[in-house]
């Protein structure tokens, strides 16, 4: 369980806070979606939820982050890393730069955890298979497309079997097939009891994946509720979030006097 | 783990195309260091040239890297060699003047000194260059980690060594971008210099921000956690290599001691 209690955060060297009074709890096995306009503070919230802000990048945090009931303030970054995995927007900078193959890149985390070779091997294979990238296992991590890089970065996190995961736009560079695989991987991860926070512009991915969705704007949570309700909320476009195609279709048809439920019923 | 698993992991190790490449990285490193130190300590012409001709050159030929080695060492030592020769030829005091350039006299002693420095420089640069051309950084560093080097130090070493090609690549990308905007980085030397200067800032700065993002990404991968890691592959090491290294070391110690105590007279 990951909890943020009354959290406000200000980047180092800046006078004003970019997150205000954030109250957020993610239960084990729960997937929470995070949406909002550009500059809303989504990436910042990801950094705060993973503890890297302020542990690694500094800045001033008020309020508290606790994981499984323990306060995380003052813990060193590597200890936080064993509890919360975070995936960033840009895959390039998530590669370690010290490995020669994708396989070793994905194996780096488990290896750093001190796991025996057989366990590292098994986890790495599993993570590669889950994201459908076994075929590039022996390629150089420095010669990947943006989408492949994103999948490798995600596989590297999955291989660590994290109990809490924070992802900042994990599918920004992925094609529909890659996006689908990521969705499945995240669902499978949640099924093992992992708590997930996923920032995503693609509401179609969040629809059906998340139990709950949070909207933030100007660094504040403006809406927090069951995924279905939030995605159907009329104010969503006002916050720069496009509703999923399912809902847009229903609205378009209703606008022309067609009732989707009625049609579905007739077809049945 | 099955035999196939072990074979797969071993395939991730850097390739060793010749029997010289197949020497353990530690052995090659020790050979390079011993040859360099011996060349400096023995001095004169015969000693360094013997090491160069009887040890370094045959090894380079065996490894099939002779031509690359010559090119690399020329590029690396040329600036130093030119300045050393100029300074020692013209500033060294001596009785027999060969020729005069302005206020400077070139003496026989100066030329002799320059020649001696030059042969040492050649032996040193080729000995170390041979090690570099036949050993990938990660092979060397992993081997040292297996021998007890801390994983943190091992990482710092690989990251630094592997960062050099990455930096060169980035310089190329930025250069291309600047050229696209009309900056000239080709042509006459003066023009080129003027074109290269604007590169320095972006390359260094982007490397710095990248270091920061990399650090975060690495912390996420449990890097910084104390304790030993189980490495996926090992570099080969023949049973006779450890004794060979002791012999090399013993010979080196004897040479150094003999020269320092004067037991071994200077040879031309
Ligand atoms: N490293 C930083 N230092 C200072 N201010 C920052 C930093 N990163 C982001 N900010 C500021 O914090 C605010 C929130 O930015 P953040 O990146 O969290 O938004 P976001 O919701 O992730 O936006 P996007 O949709 O563009 O990714 C912005 O005003 C931004 O300028
Ligand atoms: Mg962002």
């Amino acid at each position: 369980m990951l909890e943020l209690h009354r959290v406000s955060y200000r980047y180092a060297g800046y006078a004003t806070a970019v997150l205000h009074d954030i109250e957020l709890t993610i239960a084990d096995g729960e997937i929470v979606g995070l949406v909002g306009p550009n500059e809303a503070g989504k990436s910042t919230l990801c950094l705060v939820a993973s503890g890297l802000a302020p542990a690694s990048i500094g800045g001033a945090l008020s309020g508290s982050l606790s994981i499984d009931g323990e306060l995380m303030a003052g813990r060193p970054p590597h200890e936080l890393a064993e509890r919360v995995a975070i995936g960033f927007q840009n895959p390039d900078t998530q590669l370690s730069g010290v490995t020669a193959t994708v396989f070793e890149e994905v194996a780096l985390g488990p290896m750093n955890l001190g796991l025996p070779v057989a366990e590292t091997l098994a986890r790495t294979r599993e993570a590669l298979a889950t994201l459908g990238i076994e075929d590039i296992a022996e390629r150089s991590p420095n010669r990947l497309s943006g989408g492949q890089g994103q999948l490798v970065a995600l596989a590297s996190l999955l291989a660590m079997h994290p109990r809490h995961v924070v992802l900042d736009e994990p599918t920004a560079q992925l094609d529909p097939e890659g996006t689908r695989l990521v969705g499945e991987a995240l669902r499978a991860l949640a099924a093992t009891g992992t708590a997930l926070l996923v920032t995503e512009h693609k509401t179609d991915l969040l629809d059906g994946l998340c139990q709950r969705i949070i909207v933030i704007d100007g660094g504040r949570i403006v809406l927090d509720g069951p995924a279905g309700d939030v995605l159907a909320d009329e104010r969503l476009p006002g916050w720069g979030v496009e509703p999923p195609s399912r809902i847009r279709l229903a609205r378009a048809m209703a606008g022309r006097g067609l009732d989707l439920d009625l049609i579905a019923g007739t077809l049945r | 783990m099955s035999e196939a698993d072990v074979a797969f992991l071993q395939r991730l190790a850097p390739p060793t195309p010749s029997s010289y490449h197949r020497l353990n990285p530690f052995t090659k490193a020790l050979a390079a260091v011993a040859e360099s130190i011996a060349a400096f300590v023995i001095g004169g012409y015969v000693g360094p040239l013997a090491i160069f001709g009887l040890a370094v050159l045959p090894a380079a030929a065996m490894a099939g890297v002779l031509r690359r080695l010559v090119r690399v060492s020329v590029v690396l030592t040329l600036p130093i060699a030119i300045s050393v020769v100029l300074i020692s030829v013209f500033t060294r005091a001596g009785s027999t003047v060969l020729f005069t350039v302005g206020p400077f006299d070139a003496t026989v002693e100066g030329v002799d000194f320059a020649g001696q420095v030059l042969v040492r420089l050649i032996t040193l640069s080729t000995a170390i260059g041979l090690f570099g051309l036949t050993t990938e950084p990660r092979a060397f560093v992993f081997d040292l980690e297996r021998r007890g080097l801390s994983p943190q130090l091992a990482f710092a070493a690989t990251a630094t060594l592997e960062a050099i090609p990455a930096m060169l690549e980035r310089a190329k990308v930025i250069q291309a971008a600047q050229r696209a905007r009309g900056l000239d980085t080709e042509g006459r030397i003066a023009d080129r210099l003027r074109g290269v200067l604007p590169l320095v800032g972006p390359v260094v700065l982007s490397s710095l921000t990248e270091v920061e993002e990399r650090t975060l990404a690495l912390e996420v991968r449990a890097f910084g956690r104390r304790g030993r890691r189980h490495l996926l592959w090992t570099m080969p090491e023949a049973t006779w290599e450890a004794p060979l290294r002791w012999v090399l070391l013993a010979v080196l110690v004897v040479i150094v001691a003999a020269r320092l105590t004067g037991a071994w007279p200077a040879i031309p």
Side-chain angles (χ1 to χ4, degrees), chain B residues 36 69 73-74 76-77 120-130:
Chain B
S36 308
L69 179 62
S73 12
V74 165
L76 287 181
T77 52
R120 288 184 208 177
L121 214 53
I122 289 169
T123 310
L124 172 99
S125 68
T126 50
I128 293 180
L130 177 63

Side-chain angles (χ1 to χ4, degrees), chain A residues 15-225:
Chain A
T16 49
V18 291
L19 290 180
H20 310 275
D21 223 15
I22 302 286
E23 198 66 48
L24 169 66
T25 303
I26 307 172
D28 291 348
E30 189 181 24
I31 308 182
V32 175
L34 177 61
V35 297
N38 290 124
E39 305 280 285
K42 303 183 296 293
S43 298
T44 309
L45 182 54
C46 287
L47 285 171
V48 167
S50 69
L52 287 180
S56 243
I57 64 165
L61 181 113
S62 62
S64 64
L65 163 69
S66 48
I67 287 172
D68 295 332
E70 287 175 60
L71 284 174
M72 290 295 119
R75 310 243 180 168
H78 67 91
E79 197 180 310
L80 289 162
E82 285 182 50
R83 292 165 170 262
V84 196
I86 176 168
F88 301 105
Q89 244 166 310
N90 178 3
D92 295 341
T93 50
Q94 293 185 66
L95 300 175
S96 66
V98 296
T99 57
T101 59
V102 164
F103 191 94
E104 289 163 283
E105 184 65 30
V106 176
L108 188 68
M111 228 166 84
N112 286 341
L113 288 175
L115 298 174
V117 174
E119 174 75 13
T120 298
L121 180 71
R123 285 188 180 197
T124 306
R125 284 193 170 144
E126 180 199 46
L128 291 171
T130 306
L131 294 172
I133 47 173
E134 306 102 312
D135 54 322
I136 56 167
E138 293 182 49
R139 289 261 293 276
S140 160
N142 304 319
R143 305 256 180 286
L144 299 175
S145 73
Q148 286 171 330
Q150 210 148 30
L151 290 174
V152 170
L154 192 56
S156 304
L157 294 186
L158 294 185
M160 297 183 70
H161 287 184
R163 306 291 308 143
H164 306 87
V165 175
V166 174
L167 296 173
D168 193 1
E169 300 191 32
T171 70
Q173 307 195 30
L174 291 181
D175 59 11
E177 174 61 10
T179 306
R180 190 184 62 78
L181 284 171
V182 168
E184 276 175 22
L186 298 186
R187 203 170 285 127
L189 193 61
T192 66
T194 298
L196 287 112
L197 178 66
V198 184
T199 298
E200 192 52 76
H201 282 297
K202 295 177 185 165
T203 43
D204 276 324
L205 175 70
L206 297 181
D207 190 19
L209 177 68
C210 305
Q211 285 85 39
R212 235 170 82 216
I213 292 181
I214 290 171
V215 185
I216 69 172
D217 188 17
R220 291 177 199 282
I221 295 183
V222 291
L223 190 61
D224 177 354

Side-chain angles (χ1 to χ4, degrees), chain A residues 97-98, chain B residues 131 136-138 140-141 154-166:
Chain A
V98 296
Chain B
F131 169 71
E136 280 189 32
R138 62 198 176 105
F140 182 44
V141 173
F155 170 78
T158 10
T160 314
L161 292 169
E162 305 274 1
I164 296 166

